[in-house]
Amino acid sequence: MAGAKFEPAYRRVVLKVSGEGLAPAGGVGLGADALRHVANEICSAHDLGVEVAVVVGGGNLVRGASFVRQCSIPEATAHQMGMLATVINALALQETLESMGASSRVLSAVHMHAVCEPYVRQDCLRHMEQGRVVVLAGGTGRPFVTTDSAAALAALELDADAVLKATQVEGVYTADPKVDPRAQFCARLTYDEVINQRLRVMDLSAVEMCQRKSVVIRVFNLHEPGNVKRILMGEDVGTVVGEAAE
Ligand code: UDP
């Protein structure tokens, strides 16, 4: 209908970006081009009026479980280092967003008052309602889990409609497409299929959390410019994980 107001597919989303997504090719450290690309994708969602909470990983700097294998520090400390890595990434992303004109705040589950705001649910909701992108740092604030779980928890806590899980490939496959040429792409999956077949979408605990409140998971290729906007415009991009009829 002419003049009809466009309604995005989702009203509020949690975007999960791994540390690798913010790194140059090779996946280590931070890359200016990668930061600008991710910030652009976020701005496109923001421009549509969609409320966005971004959960950033830290694997480009430190992954607790692999770091602990290289040295003799307690594993809990290695995970804390991983959480601090997510704060570094969040600050870089927030400043990149600001430089592109998108008002943004970092809220961290690990309290670092001199650097960013502490995560408080009500503050986070208020920021989003006021048109700010929130970048959630520090994961869950506790060791031994990953930022996938933090993203699922954030979706439940913030009453988001979907988790947009940015990956390095088109979506979910029956096997790793980089290793197994017989790997098949899955356009649609139920939560139970993901859990029972142990498909590599997100941590299984994160998938279970999303299932609990029917939060849709959209797995997509971060490197394809415009994918976030396409998902929000209702296009079939990547893999959709949800209830059977989703
Ligand atoms: N981490 C943690 N608790 C959390 C989130 C993250 O201990 O709630 C640590 C964990 O060691 C993890 C690291 O932070 O490996 C970086 O996060 P993640 O592996 O999720 O980053 P990504 O792979 O998404 O870049």
Side-chain angles (χ1 to χ4, degrees), residues 222-240:
L222 176 67
H223 300 296
E224 182 68 41
N227 262 353
V228 167
K229 185 169 182 179
R230 280 185 208 105
I231 289 171
L232 298 173
M233 302 281 284
E235 290 182 32
D236 262 342
V237 173
T239 302
V240 183

Side-chain angles (χ1 to χ4, degrees), residues 183-197:
Q184 283 178 358
F185 178 74
C186 308
R188 269 163 210 278
L189 291 163
T190 64
Y191 303 108
D192 285 336
E193 284 169 334
V194 171
I195 293 164
N196 296 337
Q197 297 171 38

Side-chain angles (χ1 to χ4, degrees), residues 16 18-19 57-59 62-64 79 82-83 139-147:
K16 163 68 209 289
S18 68
V62 180
R63 262 201 194 92
H79 289 304
M83 287 187 268
T140 63
R142 306 305 297 267
F144 297 101
V145 288
T146 72
T147 52

Side-chain angles (χ1 to χ4, degrees), residues 16-21 55-66 75-86 89 109 138-150 153 165 203:
K16 163 68 209 289
V17 181
S18 68
E20 194 179 1
V55 171
V56 285
N60 55 325
L61 301 173
V62 180
R63 262 201 194 92
S66 39
E75 185 169 351
T77 305
H79 289 304
Q80 287 171 336
M81 292 165 63
M83 287 187 268
L84 297 184
T86 72
N89 286 339
T140 63
R142 306 305 297 267
F144 297 101
V145 288
T146 72
T147 52
D148 277 0
S149 292
L153 276 172
K165 160 86 177 176
D203 292 354

